[in-house]
Amino acid sequence: MAIDPDILIDWFAEQGRDLPWRRAECTPWGVLVSEIMLQQTPVARVRPVWEEWLERWPRPSALAAAAQGEVLRAWGKLGYPRRALRLHAAAEVIARDHGDVVPSDVDTLLALPGIGVYTARAVAAFGYGKRAPVVDTNVRRVVARAVHGAGDAGPASNTRDLADVEELLPDRDAPAASFSAALMELGALVCVARGPRCADCPLHADCAWQHAGRPAYTGPAKPVQRFAGTDRQVRGLLLDVLRGTAEPVPKERLDLVWSKAGQRDRCLDSLLVDGLVEQTPDGRFALPGEY
DNA sequence: TACGCGTGGGG
DNA sequence: TCCCCAAGCGT
């Protein structure tokens, strides 16, 4: 079953959220920053940080000139701080090799650190108004239901998912970009993972899932992401100490955050390997690029 | 393809 | 409480 672009785009015009990175005056750089921050992180937590970043670093070259440690502090508790480091690295490349202008071409974007299949297409579509299939978790869920009549999307498959959306996408650039934004917004506001609000859905009449009687999802269960007790938690605790101190700290200070010495040391090592932490010549630890 | 990677809010 | 989930990426 297909999706009527006009119905979806009209719904988006009326019901879509007024987010700062969607305003007409937002630059492609602002769009790129938003897309990186929004990877696995909810809009409500991103918005205030995005505002600070765009004020402080309105162009890629401005971010590129900042120290990594400052960037990580400004990232705060958005999570997955490697994203901040990669965005900083991408800004350096954009400033140096692309005249401080975010590329509009999908393949050029894909070559930048931290920019993958989703983000490259999102920047092309939302930053430059181009026609490019944009597939995120929301889009996959909406397509699974409205088009395929399934309760939810199965495991991601780049080739398949992109082909699915390619078929739905309007031909011209501007409507295609609006359609992509609308599809994502529908998944974020109405066709949500738990408790979809079908009564409010503009696609209700033509939804394959509705017509099939809203069958439950039958595919493989999604892997559970545990957190308590994992290295991810310990790394987060270690980084939180370093974000909160102006001066490098001795290892004894870091030892306080987690009782298991083996796991603690493994995590500190991995943070050093990832470039999220640096050791000073006197053996203390700090965020990178400041000492 | 499967896994590791932060953090916090809502049901 | 606990569990699920949130605009993915790199390996």
Side-chain angles (χ1 to χ4, degrees):
Chain A
M1 190 162 302
I3 293 174
D4 186 328
D6 292 330
I7 291 178
L8 188 60
I9 291 170
D10 287 350
W11 171 84
F12 182 58
E14 289 177 22
Q15 305 292 328
R17 291 166 293 181
D18 177 27
L19 300 171
W21 45 86
R22 286 180 179 161
R23 292 186 303 236
E25 65 269 26
C26 182
T27 62
W29 168 242
V31 172
L32 172 56
V33 173
S34 79
E35 293 299 340
I36 300 293
M37 289 183 171
L38 287 163
Q39 292 170 4
Q40 304 286 280
T41 304
V43 167
R45 281 168 50 207
V46 164
R47 196 194 304 235
V49 181
W50 183 90
E51 300 277 10
E52 290 169 23
W53 274 53
L54 267 289
E55 177 128 352
R56 186 170 179 183
W57 298 307
R59 287 172 297 284
S61 55
L63 179 65
Q68 288 177 309
E70 271 312 294
V71 173
L72 288 170
R73 273 197 193 86
W75 190 260
K77 307 200 79 166
L78 287 183
Y80 294 142
R82 293 189 294 187
R83 290 182 292 167
L85 245 34
R86 290 180 181 139
L87 180 53
H88 182 256
E92 289 178 338
V93 176
I94 294 168
R96 191 187 64 226
D97 298 342
H98 301 290
D100 216 12
V101 177
V102 174
S104 60
D105 171 69
V106 169
D107 288 327
T108 309
L109 286 160
L110 276 173
L112 297 170
I115 299 188
V117 171
Y118 162 77
T119 304
R121 293 164 176 282
V123 170
F126 308 141
Y128 289 100
K130 291 172 72 169
R131 181 185 188 281
V134 178
V135 179
D136 75 333
T137 186
N138 291 308
V139 170
R140 287 177 4 84
R141 186 173 55 249
V142 173
V143 170
R145 289 176 181 160
V147 178
H148 300 305
D152 203 348
S157 160
N158 257 325
T159 313
R160 273 258 332 212
D161 297 339
L162 283 173
D164 274 356
V165 175
E166 165 66 37
E167 272 193 50
L168 299 171
L169 215 55
D171 291 330
R172 293 180 295 128
D173 278 321
S178 295
F179 179 85
S180 294
L183 210 50
M184 288 179 57
E185 190 76 338
L186 190 71
L189 298 183
V190 175
C191 195
V192 294
R194 279 187 297 181
R197 300 159 44 190
C198 298
D200 299 328
C201 183
L203 307 183
H204 186 88
D206 293 322
C207 176
W209 191 43
Q210 289 295 332
H211 288 300
R214 296 178 59 170
Y217 174 67
T218 55
K222 294 171 184 172
V224 283
Q225 280 256 43
R226 300 257 168 235
F227 180 65
T230 62
D231 285 4
R232 243 172 32 258
Q233 180 183 18
V234 178
R235 286 164 56 105
L237 291 170
L238 291 169
L239 275 182
D240 201 37
V241 171
L242 299 180
R243 276 195 301 264
T245 61
E247 289 296 304
V249 303
K251 182 157 185 305
E252 296 73 46
R253 172 68 186 87
L254 296 176
D255 288 344
L256 299 177
V257 305
W258 198 250
S259 59
K260 296 180 181 173
Q263 185 178 23
R264 223 170 47 213
D265 293 346
R266 179 175 72 240
C267 288
L268 185 54
D269 281 343
S270 73
L271 288 170
L272 289 163
V273 169
D274 289 347
L276 286 162
V277 173
E278 275 181 8
Q279 198 164 14
T280 58
D282 64 8
R284 292 178 296 164
F285 295 90
L287 294 179
E290 299 189 301
Y291 295 95

